[in-house]
Amino acid sequence: DNYSLLNESLNQHNGFYFQIENGFDDDGFWHEGSIAYQNYTLNAMSISIEAAKYFGVNLANYSWQTSSGKSIKLSKPFTSHLNLVKPDGTFPRLNDDIRGLDLASVLPLLEFTNSYWPNTIPSHIMNKAREVNQEYSIKLLLWSKPLNNNSEQIGSVNYEMFGVSIIRHNDTYVLIDYGSHGGWHGHYDKLNVEITLNDSNLFLDPGTVEYSLPSSSEWYRNSFAHSIPFIDNRNQPETTGKMMNYDFSSNMSFVIAQYTDDIVKTNVTRLVLVLSTPQYGDIVFDAS
């Protein structure tokens, strides 16, 4: 019952309000470009939100202005990353991600989100997470609430601030990562591509391993651990890419992204196009 501790937690120089107002972009993604660290952050935030609720401070409807002047609601970071989930229920291991995440591992957070912001999570995602879950934590049991019907389906999406595009085309899932480096947890992986066909991963980001292992920095953060274009067979510089053009439709979807290699003063551009054909089904074209 110590309100001063809650006040310190929310209002100190690096407290709750500071973290959400400076840590998330316009798309609702954590600045390090990692779904694992997004999940880590949201779990900490959920405890703060619960503690504040106990003291009569309702944070559920809290909103703020991002650095670009866009108004964002607190619920957005809790749902934005769900648009990246793969057909097999796993999340892409962007930047530092040691263990990997799937819908079952984030179910307590999904239940928390559903309890505070009903009808924000598509029903098929919540139902799949509940079906594959094998263990029940105290948080999961406390936060579980009946699910409202939300028939929304996740589709292709471009998150320009986050720097990731997802093409969903029938059973084909293609991700291209062109965003900012991500600070200490970033990888040299601009224009990295992941491709999943139904439940089969053809091109996969390996994430990373425990930081105590030398291979964490010597291999997993390296360009060579990713599916990218290379110049002179060397590691990329630390850089931020940009979206050049994209279009999503039922017959054809494409993404064109680019980064600049300042060492050799060269622009590197990658086109990934998914085309439906009557004879061969979906075909993925990849040109750099």
Side-chain angles (χ1 to χ4, degrees):
D1 292 332
N2 190 336
Y3 187 86
S4 65
L5 289 179
L6 177 72
N7 182 59
E8 183 177 353
S9 173
L10 296 179
N11 295 299
Q12 66 179 344
H13 72 280
N14 63 347
F16 180 87
Y17 293 127
F18 176 86
Q19 294 293 336
I20 60 175
E21 292 175 10
N22 293 276
F24 292 101
D25 64 24
D26 289 8
D27 296 323
F29 283 93
W30 189 242
H31 66 95
E32 291 169 310
S34 165
I35 303 302
Y37 278 91
Q38 175 117 358
N39 184 67
Y40 178 86
T41 302
L42 294 178
N43 271 290
M45 288 171 55
S46 66
I47 302 300
S48 296
I49 294 169
E50 285 280 81
K53 181 180 178 181
Y54 175 83
F55 283 101
V57 179
N58 182 14
L59 296 173
N61 297 319
Y62 187 78
S63 63
W64 68 95
Q65 297 284 325
T66 65
S67 58
S68 65
K70 182 179 179 180
S71 178
I72 183 172
K73 294 181 178 180
L74 185 57
S75 59
K76 189 165 187 177
F78 285 85
T79 58
S80 57
H81 60 299
L82 299 179
N83 286 318
L84 273 61
V85 71
K86 296 183 178 183
D88 64 355
T90 63
F91 288 89
R93 296 178 67 178
L94 303 172
N95 287 352
D96 277 356
D97 185 338
I98 295 174
R99 295 172 184 85
L101 293 172
D102 58 22
L103 287 175
S105 63
V106 302
L107 180 56
L109 201 56
L110 295 180
E111 297 286 7
F112 172 86
T113 304
N114 179 60
S115 68
Y116 271 82
W117 303 284
N119 207 36
T120 58
I121 300 177
S123 298
H124 73 279
I125 288 183
M126 193 63 134
N127 288 330
K128 185 169 185 176
R130 287 174 172 176
E131 287 169 9
V132 298
N133 180 60
Q134 297 293 320
E135 51 187 65
Y136 290 87
S137 64
I138 291 177
K139 288 195 295 184
L140 183 62
L141 294 171
L142 287 174
W143 289 337
S144 293
K145 296 286 190 303
L147 183 63
N148 290 342
N149 182 39
N150 180 352
S151 59
E152 178 185 355
Q153 297 294 311
I154 54 176
S156 300
V157 64
N158 176 53
Y159 285 122
E160 195 138 354
M161 289 288 291
F162 187 49
V164 165
S165 268
I166 305 290
I167 296 175
R168 296 181 191 271
H169 221 260
N170 300 319
D171 294 331
T172 303
Y173 171 105
V174 179
L175 177 148
I176 183 166
D177 180 3
Y178 60 91
S180 62
H181 185 71
W184 192 85
H185 293 293
H187 291 194
Y188 300 94
D189 63 350
K190 291 293 93 48
L191 307 190
N192 180 49
V193 163
E194 295 191 43
I195 300 178
T196 299
L197 298 180
N198 202 358
D199 289 343
S200 300
N201 291 305
L202 302 184
F203 295 90
L204 190 63
D205 191 316
T208 191
V209 291
E210 299 288 347
Y211 299 134
S212 58
L213 299 175
S215 58
S216 172
S217 57
E218 294 173 2
W219 172 252
Y220 286 91
R221 293 182 183 178
N222 233 298
S223 297
F224 299 102
H226 300 86
S227 302
I228 64 171
F230 287 94
I231 297 178
D232 297 336
N233 201 36
R234 59 170 171 76
N235 207 34
Q236 278 182 359
E238 181 177 325
T239 186
T240 297
K242 61 182 178 180
M243 172 57 60
M244 304 298 290
N245 198 4
Y246 70 92
D247 187 55
F248 305 133
S249 68
S250 58
N251 296 322
M252 179 191 73
S253 296
F254 72 88
V255 172
I256 305 175
Q258 181 184 91
Y259 78 89
T260 299
D261 188 324
D262 289 326
I263 297 175
V264 289
K265 297 185 169 35
T266 300
N267 291 326
V268 182
T269 308
R270 190 169 197 173
L271 159 71
V272 180
L273 181 148
V274 182
L275 178 67
S276 292
T277 69
Q279 186 174 2
Y280 301 107
D282 283 353
I283 296 178
V284 179
F285 291 92
D286 178 13
S288 299

